[in-house]
């Protein structure tokens, strides 16, 4: 199957066998009854398939998980209440006090905040300006257990060479390679196929597409070999082989900590998945056209977009990303004041902190998302006082270009 056919049909047939519905219904229930005590006992003790409590599993959520797993070519997926919940749950599932994370400095500000929150529990993070084998060599220690990076940094827009980093980490051994694929989505890059061990998505963004549901999902490749000396907390789960992490996340982390996805939000995401390919095609083409137009406008200090030849990451993006360069771009103006004036004068771009909506969105990161981030971290992430981040939507690009031109005038 090609991309758009897969979005509709791969490992998914709605509810056709029971009712003929083309979508899995919303099973909006807290718990599930069973005909016999023996049957419920078997489900609770992992001896039979089935559902008992929505915090652990729900048919609507499971349908969404299966579709995401198919998109990333994984061995299994677990959905969470948010993208941050997915990252948090992964860290709590595999890390112990004394372990270290190495992360790209360009990762999302919320992720930086989470990694700082882990420090009181004895889990520390080292940052590299770029997640490359050369920089990782200087940062990795014998305590490193996770390398975390975004395939397209937000808002730095640096592009990760997944195969190169994967090859390097495999030589090191015992380091889990986690890639946040939110901004590229599996439409532009299947990061597990490229060599990542884990794919993370804030599915509130492009997967959903309409900005109507917060959610996150983790997809496991099933390829990582769990060494219990390096990951002692995985000792009781290693017996599940390629499903070890998925089993622990569902049976332990979700059960104990409860950051599960609601059936309603899973349903909305499943609707979004079906048009993901078409939306990404349009949004990527719009972003490239807008970026090229902005390069010609007066008053802009810099236009940053991986699809421009002027981008430091153009060559990497051309190799790694397929079918587009993403739908996020940033511009630098002459001052914070001018950045605010442009936001206030735009007619179509909505001033909002989200990305991935069908509408064009714009935000001043330093005063919002990075308002509480230390200055040094902002510098490494490419966040300056005059920076604006633009998430390009599906509008007619001529209207967007005209809107930015009048706002800049």
């Amino acid at each position: 199957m090609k991309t758009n056919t897969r979005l509709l049909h791969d490992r998914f047939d709605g509810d056709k066998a029971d009712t003929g519905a083309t979508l899995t219904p919303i099973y909006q229930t807290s718990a599930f009854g069973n005909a016999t005590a023996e049957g419920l006992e078997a489900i609770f003790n992992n001896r039979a398939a089935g559902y008992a409590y929505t915090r652990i599993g729900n048919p609507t959520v499971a349908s969404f998980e299966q579709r995401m797993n198919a998109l990333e070519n994984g061995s299994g997926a677990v959905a969470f209440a948010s993208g941050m919940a997915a990252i948090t749950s992964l860290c709590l599932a595999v890390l112990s006090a004394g372990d270290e994370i190495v992360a790209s400095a360009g990762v999302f500000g919320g992720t930086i905040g989470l990694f700082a929150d882990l420090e009181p529990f004895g889990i520390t993070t080292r940052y590299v300006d770029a997640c490359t084998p050369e920089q990782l060599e200087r940062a990795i220690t014998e305590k490193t257990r996770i390398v975390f990076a975004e395939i397209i940094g937000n808002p730095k827009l640096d592009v990760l060479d997944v195969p190169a980093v994967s090859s390097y980490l495999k030589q090191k051994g015992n380091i889990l390679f986690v890639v946040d694929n939110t901004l590229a989505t599996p439409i532009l890059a299947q990061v597990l196929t490229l060599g990542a061990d884990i794919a993370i998505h804030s599915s509130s963004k492009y997967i959903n597409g309409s900005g109507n549901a917060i959610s996150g999902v983790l997809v496991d490749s099933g390829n990582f070999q769990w060494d219990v000396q390096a990951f002692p907390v995985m000792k009781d789960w290693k017996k599940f082989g390629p499903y070890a992490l998925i089993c622990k996340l569902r049976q332990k982390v979700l059960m104990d900590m409860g950051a599960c996805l609601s059936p309603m939000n899973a349903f909305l995401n499943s609707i979004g998945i079906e048009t993901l390919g078409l939306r990404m095609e349009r949004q990527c083409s719009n972003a490239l056209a807008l970026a090229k137009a902005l390069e010609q406008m007066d008053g802009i200090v810099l236009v940053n977009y991986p699809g421009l030849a002027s981008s430091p990451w153009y060559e990497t993006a051309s190799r790694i990303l397929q079918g587009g360069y993403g739908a996020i771009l940033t511009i630098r103006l002459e001052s914070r004041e001018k950045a605010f004036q442009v936001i206030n004068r735009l007619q179509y771009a909505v001033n909002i902190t989200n990305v991935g909506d069908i509408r064009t969105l714009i935000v001043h990161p330093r005063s919002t998302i990075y308002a509480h981030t230390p200055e040094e971290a902002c510098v490494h992430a490419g966040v300056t006082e005059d920076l604006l981040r633009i998430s390009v939507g599906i509008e007619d690009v001529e209207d967007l270009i005209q809107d930015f031109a009048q706002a800049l005038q």
Side-chain angles (χ1 to χ4, degrees):
M1 289 184 281
K2 294 186 180 296
T3 300
N4 288 297
T5 307
R6 290 181 63 223
L7 291 170
L8 295 171
H9 300 288
D10 195 0
R11 299 187 224 179
F12 174 74
D13 61 0
D15 196 42
K16 295 175 185 175
D18 295 327
T19 65
T22 57
L23 284 170
T24 302
I26 305 170
Y27 288 88
Q28 192 67 41
T29 182
S30 300
F32 300 83
N34 198 283
T36 66
E38 291 82 0
L40 192 56
E41 178 192 37
I43 291 171
F44 260 87
N45 289 277
N46 304 315
R47 295 198 304 268
Y51 299 97
Y53 199 67
T54 283
R55 188 176 75 236
I56 308 165
N58 176 285
T60 312
V61 177
S63 175
F64 169 60
E65 291 169 337
Q66 289 160 12
R67 299 181 83 170
M68 286 302 302
N69 189 46
L71 287 182
E72 285 284 19
N73 287 328
S75 68
V78 180
F80 296 90
S82 67
M84 292 308 306
I87 301 171
T88 303
S89 297
L90 171 65
C91 293
L92 295 176
V94 305
L95 297 178
S96 305
D99 289 345
E100 292 180 354
I101 301 167
V102 174
S104 169
V107 297
F108 172 58
T111 306
I112 295 173
L114 165 64
F115 291 161
D117 292 340
L118 294 175
E119 290 184 5
F121 300 95
I123 299 167
T124 56
T125 302
R126 298 167 179 262
Y127 289 96
V128 292
D129 286 333
C131 191
T132 64
E134 294 75 21
Q135 293 204 28
L136 290 174
E137 181 65 30
R138 296 191 292 269
I140 285 175
T141 73
E142 70 280 358
K143 297 179 180 179
T144 303
R145 295 293 173 261
I146 289 177
V147 166
F148 187 99
E150 297 170 350
I151 190 164
I152 302 177
N154 176 15
K156 194 174 182 179
L157 302 183
D158 48 331
V159 180
L160 179 67
D161 191 336
V162 181
V165 175
S166 173
S167 178
Y168 166 78
L169 293 178
K170 282 180 171 54
Q171 297 173 23
K172 288 287 184 180
N174 293 330
I175 299 176
L176 192 67
F177 185 23
V178 182
V179 176
D180 186 324
N181 198 22
T182 298
L183 295 195
T185 79
I187 301 301
L188 304 186
Q190 292 179 322
V191 295
L192 302 185
T193 303
L194 291 172
D197 296 309
I198 304 291
I200 295 278
H201 290 269
S202 173
S203 41
S204 321
K205 311 300 190 294
Y206 293 99
I207 301 299
N208 174 273
S210 295
N212 58 23
I214 299 293
S215 58
V217 63
L218 178 151
V219 186
D220 185 10
S221 69
N223 295 328
F224 191 74
Q225 301 299 309
W226 297 100
D227 182 333
V228 297
Q229 298 299 317
F231 295 90
V233 292
M234 291 298 292
K235 179 181 178 181
D236 294 337
W237 304 90
K238 185 177 179 180
K239 61 188 177 185
F240 294 107
Y243 308 107
L245 178 60
I246 295 299
C247 288
K248 183 172 186 182
L249 287 170
R250 190 176 305 285
Q251 295 295 328
K252 190 64 178 170
V253 179
L254 273 184
M255 181 180 289
D256 292 349
M257 300 179 186
C260 61
L261 180 60
S262 72
M264 183 66 195
N265 284 7
F267 179 80
L268 293 171
N269 288 343
S270 290
I271 293 174
I273 281 177
E274 300 190 339
T275 59
L276 177 62
L278 299 176
R279 288 186 283 107
M280 288 302 291
E281 180 180 353
R282 175 61 175 257
Q283 288 174 271
C284 289
S285 66
N286 274 3
L288 179 59
L290 179 60
K292 288 180 176 180
L294 290 169
E295 278 194 313
Q296 306 304 315
M297 295 183 190
D298 295 332
I300 297 179
V301 175
L302 177 69
V303 179
N304 181 21
Y305 180 66
L308 294 175
S310 57
S311 168
W313 302 284
Y314 177 73
E315 186 275 331
T316 303
S318 298
R319 282 191 294 108
I320 301 300
L321 305 177
Q322 304 296 317
Y325 295 92
I328 306 290
L329 60 96
T330 62
I331 58 174
R332 288 190 59 186
L333 303 168
E334 295 167 350
S335 65
R336 175 191 177 105
E337 290 72 25
K338 186 170 182 179
F340 276 35
Q341 290 172 2
V342 168
I343 289 176
N344 294 341
R345 292 174 180 172
L346 286 167
Q347 297 175 358
Y348 302 132
V350 183
N351 180 25
I352 198 169
T353 60
N354 196 24
V355 299
D357 201 325
I358 53 174
R359 300 159 188 80
T360 294
L361 315 175
I362 191 167
V363 73
H364 180 256
R366 189 65 184 93
S367 63
T368 55
I369 305 165
Y370 284 82
H372 307 292
T373 303
E375 184 61 31
E376 182 180 0
C378 289
V379 171
H380 287 304
V383 176
T384 58
E385 289 288 353
D386 65 343
L387 183 82
L388 293 178
R389 184 190 70 188
I390 305 164
S391 172
V392 182
I394 65 171
E395 299 95 341
D396 292 304
V397 72
E398 296 83 1
D399 291 330
L400 294 178
I401 292 170
Q402 184 181 28
D403 193 20
F404 275 89
Q406 66 81 22
L408 284 161
Q409 288 173 2

